Amino acid sequence: RGTTSSIDNRIDKLAKKYDTNGDGKYSLNEVRAIIRELLEANVEKRRFKGLALGLAGLTALALAALVILGVVIIFMLRDYDKEETGPNLPAMQMNGNIVGTREAIVKLNLLAAIGME
């Protein structure tokens, strides 16, 4: 019942809004103003609906891209071979599993580098 009275109050406010001369009757111009506002609201509603659908589509596309990227990464890591490690790419292992690799860099002293010229 509380919502009925609030709806009635909203109707009364709208009726007063569109009855510009306050005579309690709607002229042709006042009816046109009501129809114009309803049509503009409908256009705005369609615009927001299109925006929401566009954003939902972009979100779905981004999610699909993340899933595809995850699958590609899994396949790339699955094909990693322990035998590909060598003296310049030592494997770091934990419990027999490779947990990372890093390039071995040979450091030269400054004097040794000068003598190489």
Side-chain angles (χ1 to χ4, degrees):
R1 291 185 177 195
T3 57
T4 304
S5 64
S6 68
I7 291 174
D8 288 340
N9 289 337
R10 289 175 58 192
I11 290 172
D12 291 342
K13 286 180 184 178
L14 286 172
K16 289 177 185 175
K17 174 184 172 183
Y18 291 110
D19 186 16
T20 55
N21 58 8
D23 65 354
K25 298 177 183 177
Y26 292 108
S27 67
L28 183 59
N29 287 336
E30 292 168 338
V31 172
R32 284 183 179 163
I34 293 170
I35 294 171
R36 184 179 306 111
E37 190 166 315
L38 287 172
L39 291 175
E40 288 172 359
N42 193 23
V43 167
E44 188 173 333
K45 180 181 172 183
R46 278 190 262 142
R47 190 175 302 137
F48 281 124
K49 185 177 179 180
L51 179 64
L53 287 174
L55 288 175
L58 284 175
T59 302
L61 187 63
L63 184 60
L66 286 174
V67 168
I68 291 170
L69 181 63
V71 169
V72 167
I73 289 172
I74 288 171
F75 276 107
M76 287 176 65
L77 292 177
R78 193 177 85 186
D79 290 339
Y80 181 75
D81 187 9
K82 288 183 181 182
E83 304 303 322
E84 291 179 14
T85 61
N88 291 331
L89 193 61
M92 293 175 278
Q93 296 188 9
M94 180 183 294
N95 299 329
N97 296 317
I98 294 178
V99 293
T101 58
R102 62 186 161 105
E103 184 177 358
I105 299 173
V106 178
K107 293 183 180 180
L108 298 174
N109 292 330
L110 184 60
L111 293 176
I114 292 173
M116 291 177 64
E117 291 179 359

Coordinates of all heavy atoms in Angstrom, one line a residue, residues 8-103:
D8 N 1.0 7.3 -6.7 CA 0.0 8.4 -6.8 C 0.7 9.7 -6.7 O 0.4 10.7 -7.4 CB -1.1 8.2 -5.8 CG -2.0 7.0 -6.1 OD1 -2.0 6.6 -7.3 OD2 -2.7 6.6 -5.2
N9 N 1.6 9.9 -5.7 CA 2.3 11.2 -5.6 C 3.2 11.5 -6.8 O 3.2 12.7 -7.2 CB 3.2 11.1 -4.3 CG 2.5 11.1 -3.1 OD1 1.3 11.6 -3.0 ND2 3.1 10.6 -2.0
R10 N 3.8 10.5 -7.4 CA 4.6 10.7 -8.6 C 3.7 11.1 -9.8 O 4.0 12.0 -10.6 CB 5.4 9.5 -9.0 CG 6.5 9.2 -8.0 CD 7.3 8.0 -8.2 NE 7.8 7.9 -9.6 CZ 8.3 6.8 -10.1 NH1 8.3 5.6 -9.4 NH2 8.8 6.8 -11.3
I11 N 2.5 10.5 -9.8 CA 1.6 10.8 -10.9 C 1.1 12.3 -10.7 O 1.0 13.0 -11.7 CB 0.4 9.8 -10.9 CG1 0.9 8.5 -11.4 CG2 -0.7 10.4 -11.8 CD1 -0.2 7.4 -11.3
D12 N 0.8 12.7 -9.5 CA 0.4 14.0 -9.3 C 1.4 15.0 -9.6 O 1.2 16.1 -10.2 CB 0.0 14.2 -7.8 CG -1.3 13.5 -7.4 OD1 -2.1 13.1 -8.4 OD2 -1.5 13.2 -6.2
K13 N 2.7 14.7 -9.3 CA 3.8 15.6 -9.6 C 4.0 15.8 -11.2 O 4.2 16.9 -11.7 CB 5.1 15.2 -9.0 CG 5.2 15.4 -7.5 CD 6.5 14.9 -7.0 CE 6.6 15.0 -5.5 NZ 7.8 14.5 -4.9
L14 N 3.8 14.6 -11.9 CA 4.0 14.7 -13.3 C 2.8 15.4 -13.9 O 3.0 16.2 -14.9 CB 4.0 13.3 -13.9 CG 5.4 12.5 -13.7 CD1 5.3 11.1 -14.1 CD2 6.5 13.2 -14.5
A15 N 1.6 15.2 -13.4 CA 0.4 15.9 -13.9 C 0.6 17.4 -13.8 O 0.3 18.2 -14.7 CB -0.9 15.5 -13.2
K16 N 1.1 17.9 -12.6 CA 1.3 19.3 -12.4 C 2.5 19.8 -13.3 O 2.4 21.0 -13.8 CB 1.7 19.6 -10.9 CG 0.5 19.4 -10.0 CD 0.9 19.6 -8.6 CE -0.3 19.3 -7.7 NZ 0.1 19.3 -6.2
K17 N 3.5 19.0 -13.5 CA 4.6 19.4 -14.4 C 4.1 19.7 -15.8 O 4.5 20.7 -16.4 CB 5.6 18.3 -14.4 CG 6.8 18.5 -15.4 CD 7.7 17.3 -15.4 CE 8.8 17.5 -16.5 NZ 9.6 16.3 -16.6
Y18 N 3.3 18.9 -16.3 CA 2.9 19.0 -17.7 C 1.7 20.0 -17.9 O 1.4 20.5 -19.0 CB 2.6 17.7 -18.4 CG 3.8 16.9 -18.6 CD1 4.1 15.7 -17.8 CD2 4.8 17.3 -19.5 CE1 5.2 15.0 -18.0 CE2 5.9 16.5 -19.7 CZ 6.2 15.4 -18.9 OH 7.3 14.7 -19.1
D19 N 0.9 20.2 -16.8 CA -0.2 21.2 -16.9 C 0.4 22.6 -16.7 O 0.3 23.1 -15.6 CB -1.3 20.9 -15.9 CG -2.5 21.8 -16.0 OD1 -2.6 22.4 -17.1 OD2 -3.3 21.8 -15.1
T20 N 1.0 23.1 -17.7 CA 1.8 24.3 -17.5 C 1.0 25.6 -17.1 O 1.5 26.4 -16.4 CB 2.6 24.7 -18.9 OG1 1.7 24.7 -19.9 CG2 3.6 23.6 -19.1
N21 N -0.3 25.6 -17.6 CA -1.0 26.8 -17.2 C -1.9 26.6 -15.9 O -2.5 27.5 -15.5 CB -1.9 27.3 -18.4 CG -2.9 26.2 -18.8 OD1 -3.0 25.1 -18.2 ND2 -3.6 26.5 -19.9
G22 N -1.8 25.3 -15.4 CA -2.5 25.0 -14.1 C -4.0 25.0 -14.1 O -4.7 25.1 -13.1
D23 N -4.6 24.8 -15.3 CA -6.1 24.8 -15.4 C -6.7 23.5 -15.2 O -7.9 23.3 -15.2 CB -6.6 25.4 -16.7 CG -6.2 24.6 -17.9 OD1 -5.4 23.6 -17.8 OD2 -6.6 24.9 -19.1
G24 N -5.9 22.4 -15.0 CA -6.4 21.1 -14.8 C -6.7 20.3 -16.1 O -7.2 19.2 -16.0
K25 N -6.5 21.0 -17.2 CA -6.8 20.4 -18.5 C -5.5 20.4 -19.3 O -4.8 21.4 -19.2 CB -7.9 21.1 -19.2 CG -9.2 21.0 -18.5 CD -10.3 21.8 -19.2 CE -11.6 21.8 -18.4 NZ -12.6 22.7 -19.1
Y26 N -5.4 19.5 -20.2 CA -4.2 19.4 -21.0 C -4.5 20.0 -22.4 O -5.4 19.5 -23.1 CB -3.6 18.0 -21.2 CG -3.0 17.5 -19.9 CD1 -3.7 16.5 -19.2 CD2 -1.9 18.0 -19.4 CE1 -3.2 16.0 -18.0 CE2 -1.3 17.5 -18.2 CZ -2.0 16.5 -17.5 OH -1.5 16.1 -16.3
S27 N -3.7 21.0 -22.8 CA -3.9 21.5 -24.2 C -3.1 20.6 -25.1 O -2.3 19.7 -24.7 CB -3.3 22.9 -24.2 OG -1.9 22.9 -24.0
L28 N -3.2 20.9 -26.4 CA -2.5 20.1 -27.4 C -1.0 20.2 -27.3 O -0.3 19.3 -27.4 CB -2.9 20.5 -28.8 CG -2.3 19.8 -30.0 CD1 -2.7 18.3 -29.9 CD2 -2.8 20.3 -31.3
N29 N -0.5 21.4 -26.9 CA 0.9 21.6 -26.7 C 1.4 20.9 -25.5 O 2.5 20.3 -25.5 CB 1.2 23.1 -26.6 CG 1.1 23.8 -27.9 OD1 1.3 23.2 -29.0 ND2 0.9 25.1 -27.9
E30 N 0.6 20.8 -24.4 CA 1.0 20.1 -23.2 C 1.1 18.6 -23.5 O 2.0 17.9 -23.0 CB 0.0 20.4 -22.1 CG 0.1 21.8 -21.6 CD -1.0 22.2 -20.7 OE1 -2.1 21.6 -20.7 OE2 -0.8 23.2 -19.9
V31 N 0.1 18.1 -24.3 CA 0.2 16.6 -24.7 C 1.4 16.3 -25.6 O 2.0 15.3 -25.4 CB -1.2 16.2 -25.4 CG1 -1.1 14.8 -26.0 CG2 -2.3 16.3 -24.4
R32 N 1.7 17.3 -26.5 CA 2.9 17.1 -27.3 C 4.1 17.0 -26.4 O 5.0 16.3 -26.7 CB 3.0 18.2 -28.3 CG 2.0 18.1 -29.5 CD 2.2 19.2 -30.5 NE 1.3 19.0 -31.6 CZ 0.9 19.9 -32.4 NH1 1.5 21.1 -32.4 NH2 0.1 19.6 -33.4
A33 N 4.2 17.9 -25.4 CA 5.4 17.9 -24.5 C 5.5 16.5 -23.8 O 6.6 16.0 -23.7 CB 5.3 19.0 -23.5
I34 N 4.4 15.9 -23.4 CA 4.4 14.6 -22.7 C 4.9 13.6 -23.7 O 5.8 12.8 -23.4 CB 3.0 14.3 -22.2 CG1 2.6 15.2 -21.1 CG2 2.9 12.8 -21.8 CD1 1.1 15.1 -20.7
I35 N 4.4 13.6 -24.9 CA 4.7 12.6 -25.9 C 6.2 12.7 -26.3 O 6.9 11.8 -26.4 CB 3.8 12.6 -27.1 CG1 2.4 12.2 -26.7 CG2 4.3 11.8 -28.3 CD1 1.4 12.5 -27.8
R36 N 6.6 14.0 -26.5 CA 8.0 14.2 -26.8 C 9.0 13.7 -25.8 O 10.0 13.0 -26.1 CB 8.3 15.7 -27.0 CG 9.7 16.1 -27.5 CD 9.9 17.6 -27.7 NE 8.9 18.2 -28.5 CZ 8.0 19.1 -28.1 NH1 7.9 19.4 -26.9 NH2 7.1 19.6 -29.0
E37 N 8.7 13.9 -24.5 CA 9.5 13.4 -23.4 C 9.5 11.9 -23.4 O 10.6 11.3 -23.1 CB 9.1 14.0 -22.1 CG 10.1 13.7 -21.0 CD 9.8 14.6 -19.8 OE1 9.6 15.8 -19.9 OE2 9.9 14.0 -18.7
L38 N 8.4 11.3 -23.6 CA 8.3 9.8 -23.6 C 9.2 9.2 -24.8 O 9.9 8.3 -24.6 CB 6.9 9.3 -23.8 CG 6.0 9.5 -22.5 CD1 4.6 9.2 -22.8 CD2 6.5 8.6 -21.4
L39 N 9.1 9.9 -26.0 CA 9.9 9.4 -27.1 C 11.4 9.6 -26.9 O 12.2 8.7 -27.2 CB 9.4 10.1 -28.4 CG 8.0 9.7 -28.9 CD1 7.7 10.6 -30.1 CD2 8.0 8.3 -29.3
E40 N 11.8 10.7 -26.3 CA 13.2 10.9 -26.0 C 13.7 9.9 -24.9 O 14.8 9.4 -25.0 CB 13.4 12.4 -25.5 CG 13.2 13.4 -26.5 CD 13.3 14.8 -26.0 OE1 13.4 15.0 -24.7 OE2 13.2 15.8 -26.8
A41 N 12.9 9.6 -24.0 CA 13.2 8.6 -22.9 C 13.4 7.2 -23.6 O 14.3 6.5 -23.2 CB 12.2 8.5 -21.8
N42 N 12.6 6.9 -24.6 CA 12.7 5.6 -25.3 C 14.0 5.6 -26.1 O 14.6 4.5 -26.1 CB 11.4 5.4 -26.2 CG 11.3 4.0 -26.7 OD1 11.8 3.1 -26.1 ND2 10.6 3.9 -27.8
V43 N 14.3 6.7 -26.7 CA 15.6 6.7 -27.5 C 16.8 6.5 -26.6 O 17.7 5.8 -26.9 CB 15.7 8.0 -28.3 CG1 17.1 8.2 -28.9 CG2 14.6 8.0 -29.4
E44 N 16.7 7.2 -25.5 CA 17.8 7.1 -24.5 C 17.9 5.7 -23.9 O 19.0 5.1 -23.8 CB 17.6 8.1 -23.4 CG 18.8 8.2 -22.4 CD 18.6 9.3 -21.4 OE1 17.9 10.3 -21.7 OE2 19.2 9.2 -20.3
K45 N 16.8 5.1 -23.7 CA 16.8 3.7 -23.2 C 17.4 2.7 -24.2 O 18.2 1.9 -23.9 CB 15.3 3.2 -22.9 CG 15.2 1.8 -22.4 CD 13.7 1.5 -22.2 CE 13.5 0.1 -21.9 NZ 12.1 -0.3 -21.8
R46 N 17.1 2.9 -25.5 CA 17.7 2.1 -26.6 C 19.2 2.3 -26.7 O 20.0 1.4 -26.9 CB 17.0 2.4 -27.9 CG 15.7 1.6 -28.1 CD 15.2 1.7 -29.5 NE 14.2 2.7 -29.5 CZ 14.0 3.6 -30.5 NH1 14.8 3.5 -31.6 NH2 13.1 4.5 -30.4
R47 N 19.6 3.6 -26.5 CA 21.0 3.9 -26.5 C 21.8 3.2 -25.4 O 22.9 2.6 -25.6 CB 21.2 5.4 -26.4 CG 22.6 5.9 -26.7 CD 22.7 7.4 -26.7 NE 21.9 8.0 -27.7 CZ 21.1 9.1 -27.5 NH1 21.2 9.7 -26.3 NH2 20.3 9.6 -28.4
F48 N 21.2 3.3 -24.2 CA 21.9 2.6 -23.1 C 21.9 1.1 -23.3 O 22.8 0.4 -22.9 CB 21.2 3.0 -21.8 CG 21.6 4.3 -21.2 CD1 20.7 5.3 -21.0 CD2 23.0 4.6 -21.0 CE1 21.1 6.5 -20.5 CE2 23.4 5.8 -20.5 CZ 22.4 6.8 -20.3
K49 N 20.8 0.5 -23.8 CA 20.8 -0.9 -24.1 C 21.9 -1.3 -25.1 O 22.5 -2.3 -24.9 CB 19.4 -1.3 -24.7 CG 19.2 -2.7 -24.8 CD 17.8 -3.0 -25.4 CE 17.6 -4.5 -25.6 NZ 16.2 -4.8 -26.1
G50 N 22.1 -0.5 -26.1 CA 23.1 -0.8 -27.1 C 24.5 -0.7 -26.5 O 25.4 -1.5 -26.7
L51 N 24.7 0.3 -25.6 CA 25.9 0.4 -24.9 C 26.2 -0.8 -24.0 O 27.3 -1.3 -24.0 CB 25.9 1.7 -24.1 CG 27.2 2.0 -23.2 CD1 28.4 2.2 -24.1 CD2 27.0 3.2 -22.4
A52 N 25.2 -1.2 -23.3 CA 25.3 -2.4 -22.4 C 25.6 -3.6 -23.2 O 26.5 -4.4 -22.8 CB 24.0 -2.6 -21.6
L53 N 25.0 -3.8 -24.3 CA 25.3 -5.0 -25.2 C 26.7 -4.9 -25.7 O 27.4 -5.9 -25.8 CB 24.3 -5.1 -26.3 CG 22.9 -5.5 -25.9 CD1 21.9 -5.4 -27.1 CD2 22.9 -6.9 -25.3
G54 N 27.1 -3.7 -26.1 CA 28.5 -3.5 -26.6 C 29.5 -3.9 -25.6 O 30.5 -4.5 -25.8
L55 N 29.3 -3.4 -24.3 CA 30.3 -3.6 -23.3 C 30.3 -5.1 -22.9 O 31.3 -5.7 -22.6 CB 29.9 -2.8 -22.0 CG 30.2 -1.3 -22.2 CD1 29.7 -0.6 -20.9 CD2 31.7 -1.1 -22.3
A56 N 29.1 -5.8 -22.9 CA 29.0 -7.2 -22.7 C 29.8 -8.0 -23.7 O 30.5 -8.9 -23.4 CB 27.6 -7.7 -22.6
G57 N 29.7 -7.5 -25.0 CA 30.4 -8.2 -26.1 C 31.9 -8.0 -25.9 O 32.7 -9.0 -26.1
L58 N 32.3 -6.8 -25.6 CA 33.8 -6.6 -25.3 C 34.3 -7.4 -24.1 O 35.4 -8.0 -24.2 CB 34.0 -5.1 -25.1 CG 34.0 -4.2 -26.3 CD1 34.2 -2.8 -25.9 CD2 35.1 -4.6 -27.3
T59 N 33.5 -7.5 -23.1 CA 33.9 -8.3 -21.9 C 34.0 -9.8 -22.3 O 35.0 -10.5 -21.9 CB 32.9 -8.1 -20.8 OG1 32.8 -6.8 -20.5 CG2 33.3 -8.9 -19.6
A60 N 33.1 -10.3 -23.1 CA 33.1 -11.7 -23.5 C 34.3 -11.9 -24.4 O 35.0 -12.9 -24.3 CB 31.8 -12.1 -24.3
L61 N 34.6 -11.0 -25.3 CA 35.8 -11.1 -26.2 C 37.1 -11.1 -25.4 O 38.0 -11.9 -25.6 CB 35.8 -9.9 -27.2 CG 36.8 -9.9 -28.3 CD1 36.6 -11.2 -29.2 CD2 36.8 -8.7 -29.1
A62 N 37.2 -10.2 -24.4 CA 38.4 -10.2 -23.5 C 38.5 -11.5 -22.7 O 39.6 -12.0 -22.6 CB 38.3 -9.0 -22.6
L63 N 37.4 -12.0 -22.2 CA 37.5 -13.2 -21.5 C 37.9 -14.4 -22.4 O 38.8 -15.2 -22.0 CB 36.1 -13.5 -20.9 CG 36.0 -14.8 -20.0 CD1 37.0 -14.7 -18.8 CD2 34.6 -15.0 -19.5
A64 N 37.4 -14.4 -23.6 CA 37.8 -15.5 -24.6 C 39.3 -15.3 -24.9 O 40.0 -16.3 -25.0 CB 37.0 -15.4 -25.8
A65 N 39.8 -14.1 -25.1 CA 41.2 -13.9 -25.3 C 42.1 -14.4 -24.2 O 43.1 -15.0 -24.4 CB 41.5 -12.4 -25.6
L66 N 41.6 -14.2 -22.9 CA 42.4 -14.6 -21.8 C 42.4 -16.2 -21.7 O 43.4 -16.8 -21.4 CB 41.8 -14.1 -20.5 CG 42.1 -12.6 -20.2 CD1 41.3 -12.1 -19.0 CD2 43.6 -12.4 -20.1
V67 N 41.3 -16.8 -22.0 CA 41.2 -18.3 -22.0 C 42.2 -18.8 -23.1 O 42.9 -19.7 -22.9 CB 39.8 -18.7 -22.2 CG1 39.7 -20.2 -22.5 CG2 38.9 -18.4 -21.0
I68 N 42.1 -18.2 -24.3 CA 43.0 -18.7 -25.4 C 44.5 -18.5 -25.0 O 45.3 -19.4 -25.2 CB 42.6 -18.0 -26.7 CG1 41.3 -18.4 -27.2 CG2 43.7 -18.2 -27.8 CD1 40.7 -17.6 -28.3
L69 N 44.8 -17.3 -24.4 CA 46.1 -17.1 -24.0 C 46.6 -18.1 -23.0 O 47.7 -18.6 -23.0 CB 46.3 -15.7 -23.4 CG 47.6 -15.2 -23.0 CD1 48.6 -15.2 -24.1 CD2 47.6 -13.9 -22.3
G70 N 45.7 -18.4 -22.0 CA 46.0 -19.5 -21.0 C 46.3 -20.8 -21.6 O 47.3 -21.5 -21.3
V71 N 45.5 -21.2 -22.6 CA 45.7 -22.5 -23.3 C 47.0 -22.5 -24.0 O 47.8 -23.5 -24.0 CB 44.5 -22.8 -24.2 CG1 44.8 -23.9 -25.2 CG2 43.2 -23.0 -23.4
V72 N 47.3 -21.4 -24.7 CA 48.6 -21.3 -25.5 C 49.8 -21.4 -24.5 O 50.7 -22.1 -24.8 CB 48.7 -20.0 -26.3 CG1 50.1 -19.7 -26.8 CG2 47.7 -20.0 -27.4
I73 N 49.7 -20.7 -23.4 CA 50.8 -20.8 -22.4 C 50.9 -22.2 -21.9 O 52.1 -22.7 -21.7 CB 50.6 -19.8 -21.3 CG1 50.8 -18.4 -21.8 CG2 51.5 -20.1 -20.1 CD1 50.4 -17.3 -20.8
I74 N 49.8 -22.9 -21.6 CA 49.9 -24.3 -21.1 C 50.6 -25.2 -22.1 O 51.4 -26.0 -21.8 CB 48.5 -24.8 -20.7 CG1 48.0 -24.1 -19.5 CG2 48.5 -26.3 -20.6 CD1 46.6 -24.3 -19.1
F75 N 50.2 -25.0 -23.4 CA 50.8 -25.9 -24.4 C 52.3 -25.5 -24.6 O 53.1 -26.4 -24.9 CB 50.1 -25.7 -25.8 CG 48.9 -26.6 -25.9 CD1 47.6 -26.1 -25.8 CD2 49.0 -28.0 -26.0 CE1 46.5 -26.9 -25.8 CE2 47.9 -28.8 -26.1 CZ 46.6 -28.3 -26.0
M76 N 52.7 -24.3 -24.5 CA 54.1 -23.9 -24.6 C 54.9 -24.5 -23.5 O 56.0 -25.0 -23.7 CB 54.2 -22.4 -24.7 CG 53.7 -21.8 -26.0 SD 53.8 -20.0 -25.9 CE 55.6 -19.7 -25.8
L77 N 54.4 -24.4 -22.3 CA 55.1 -25.0 -21.1 C 55.1 -26.5 -21.2 O 56.1 -27.1 -20.7 CB 54.5 -24.5 -19.8 CG 54.6 -23.0 -19.6 CD1 53.9 -22.6 -18.3 CD2 56.1 -22.6 -19.5
R78 N 54.1 -27.1 -21.7 CA 54.1 -28.5 -21.8 C 55.1 -29.1 -22.7 O 55.7 -30.2 -22.5 CB 52.7 -29.0 -22.2 CG 52.4 -30.4 -22.0 CD 51.0 -30.8 -22.4 NE 51.1 -31.0 -23.9 CZ 50.0 -31.3 -24.6 NH1 48.9 -31.2 -24.1 NH2 50.2 -31.5 -25.9
D79 N 55.5 -28.3 -23.7 CA 56.4 -28.8 -24.7 C 57.9 -28.5 -24.3 O 58.8 -28.8 -25.0 CB 56.2 -28.1 -26.1 CG 54.9 -28.6 -26.7 OD1 54.5 -29.7 -26.3 OD2 54.4 -27.9 -27.6
Y80 N 58.1 -27.9 -23.1 CA 59.4 -27.7 -22.6 C 60.1 -29.0 -22.3 O 59.6 -29.9 -21.7 CB 59.3 -26.8 -21.4 CG 60.7 -26.4 -20.8 CD1 61.5 -25.5 -21.5 CD2 61.2 -27.1 -19.7 CE1 62.7 -25.2 -21.0 CE2 62.5 -26.8 -19.2 CZ 63.2 -25.8 -19.9 OH 64.5 -25.5 -19.4
D81 N 61.3 -29.1 -22.8 CA 62.1 -30.3 -22.6 C 63.3 -30.0 -21.7 O 64.0 -29.1 -21.9 CB 62.6 -30.8 -24.0 CG 63.3 -32.1 -24.0 OD1 63.2 -32.8 -22.9 OD2 63.8 -32.5 -25.0
K82 N 63.5 -30.9 -20.7 CA 64.6 -30.8 -19.8 C 66.0 -30.8 -20.6 O 66.9 -30.3 -20.2 CB 64.6 -31.9 -18.8 CG 63.5 -31.7 -17.7 CD 63.7 -32.9 -16.7 CE 62.6 -32.8 -15.7 NZ 62.8 -33.8 -14.7
E83 N 66.0 -31.6 -21.7 CA 67.2 -31.8 -22.4 C 67.7 -30.5 -23.1 O 68.8 -30.5 -23.6 CB 67.1 -32.9 -23.4 CG 66.6 -34.2 -22.8 CD 67.5 -34.7 -21.7 OE1 68.8 -34.6 -21.9 OE2 67.0 -35.3 -20.7
E84 N 66.8 -29.5 -23.2 CA 67.2 -28.3 -23.9 C 68.2 -27.4 -23.1 O 68.7 -26.4 -23.6 CB 66.0 -27.5 -24.3 CG 65.1 -28.1 -25.4 CD 63.9 -27.3 -25.7 OE1 63.8 -26.1 -25.4 OE2 63.0 -27.9 -26.4
T85 N 68.3 -27.8 -21.8 CA 69.2 -27.0 -21.0 C 70.7 -27.3 -21.3 O 70.9 -28.5 -21.7 CB 69.0 -27.2 -19.5 OG1 69.2 -28.6 -19.2 CG2 67.6 -26.8 -19.1
G86 N 71.5 -26.4 -21.2 CA 72.9 -26.7 -21.5 C 73.8 -25.9 -20.6 O 73.4 -25.3 -19.6
P87 N 75.1 -25.7 -20.9 CA 76.0 -25.0 -20.1 C 75.6 -23.5 -20.0 O 75.9 -22.9 -18.9 CB 77.4 -25.2 -20.7 CG 77.1 -25.7 -22.1 CD 75.8 -26.3 -22.1
N88 N 75.1 -23.0 -21.0 CA 74.7 -21.5 -20.9 C 73.3 -21.3 -20.4 O 72.8 -20.2 -20.3 CB 74.8 -20.9 -22.3 CG 76.3 -20.8 -22.7 OD1 77.2 -20.7 -21.9 ND2 76.6 -20.8 -24.0
L89 N 72.5 -22.4 -20.2 CA 71.2 -22.3 -19.7 C 70.9 -23.4 -18.6 O 70.2 -24.3 -18.9 CB 70.2 -22.5 -20.9 CG 68.7 -22.1 -20.6 CD1 68.6 -20.6 -20.3 CD2 67.9 -22.4 -21.8
P90 N 71.5 -23.2 -17.5 CA 71.4 -24.2 -16.4 C 69.9 -24.2 -15.9 O 69.3 -23.2 -15.8 CB 72.4 -23.8 -15.4 CG 72.5 -22.3 -15.6 CD 72.3 -22.1 -17.0
A91 N 69.4 -25.4 -15.6 CA 68.1 -25.5 -15.0 C 68.2 -25.5 -13.5 O 69.0 -26.2 -12.9 CB 67.5 -26.8 -15.5
M92 N 67.3 -24.8 -12.9 CA 67.1 -24.9 -11.4 C 66.0 -25.8 -11.1 O 64.9 -25.7 -11.6 CB 66.8 -23.5 -10.9 CG 67.9 -22.5 -11.1 SD 67.4 -20.8 -10.6 CE 66.6 -20.3 -12.1
Q93 N 66.3 -26.8 -10.3 CA 65.4 -27.9 -10.0 C 65.0 -27.9 -8.5 O 65.8 -27.5 -7.7 CB 65.9 -29.2 -10.4 CG 66.2 -29.4 -11.9 CD 66.6 -30.8 -12.3 OE1 66.5 -31.7 -11.5 NE2 67.0 -31.0 -13.5
M94 N 63.7 -28.3 -8.3 CA 63.2 -28.5 -7.0 C 62.5 -29.8 -7.0 O 61.5 -30.0 -7.7 CB 62.3 -27.4 -6.5 CG 61.8 -27.5 -5.1 SD 60.7 -26.1 -4.7 CE 61.8 -24.8 -4.7
N95 N 62.9 -30.8 -6.2 CA 62.2 -32.1 -6.2 C 62.2 -32.8 -7.5 O 61.2 -33.4 -7.9 CB 60.8 -32.0 -5.6 CG 60.8 -31.5 -4.1 OD1 61.7 -31.7 -3.4 ND2 59.7 -30.8 -3.8
G96 N 63.2 -32.6 -8.3 CA 63.3 -33.2 -9.6 C 62.5 -32.5 -10.7 O 62.6 -32.8 -11.9
N97 N 61.9 -31.4 -10.4 CA 61.1 -30.6 -11.4 C 61.8 -29.3 -11.7 O 62.4 -28.6 -10.8 CB 59.7 -30.3 -10.9 CG 58.9 -31.5 -10.7 OD1 58.9 -32.4 -11.5 ND2 58.1 -31.5 -9.6
I98 N 61.8 -28.9 -12.9 CA 62.5 -27.6 -13.3 C 61.6 -26.5 -12.9 O 60.4 -26.5 -13.2 CB 62.7 -27.6 -14.8 CG1 63.8 -28.6 -15.2 CG2 63.2 -26.2 -15.2 CD1 64.0 -28.7 -16.7
V99 N 62.1 -25.6 -12.1 CA 61.3 -24.5 -11.6 C 61.8 -23.2 -12.3 O 61.1 -22.1 -12.1 CB 61.4 -24.3 -10.1 CG1 60.7 -25.5 -9.4 CG2 62.8 -24.2 -9.6
G100 N 62.9 -23.2 -13.0 CA 63.3 -22.0 -13.7 C 64.6 -22.2 -14.4 O 65.3 -23.1 -14.1
T101 N 64.9 -21.3 -15.3 CA 66.2 -21.3 -16.0 C 66.7 -19.9 -16.0 O 65.9 -18.9 -15.9 CB 66.1 -21.9 -17.4 OG1 65.2 -21.1 -18.1 CG2 65.6 -23.3 -17.4
R102 N 68.0 -19.8 -16.1 CA 68.5 -18.4 -16.3 C 69.8 -18.6 -17.1 O 70.5 -19.6 -17.1 CB 68.8 -17.7 -15.0 CG 69.8 -18.4 -14.1 CD 69.9 -17.7 -12.7 NE 70.4 -18.6 -11.8 CZ 71.7 -18.5 -11.3 NH1 72.5 -17.5 -11.7 NH2 72.2 -19.4 -10.5
E103 N 70.1 -17.5 -17.9 CA 71.2 -17.6 -18.7 C 72.5 -17.4 -17.9 O 72.5 -16.5 -17.0 CB 71.1 -16.5 -19.8 CG 72.3 -16.5 -20.8 CD 72.1 -15.4 -21.8 OE1 71.1 -14.7 -21.8 OE2 73.0 -15.3 -22.7

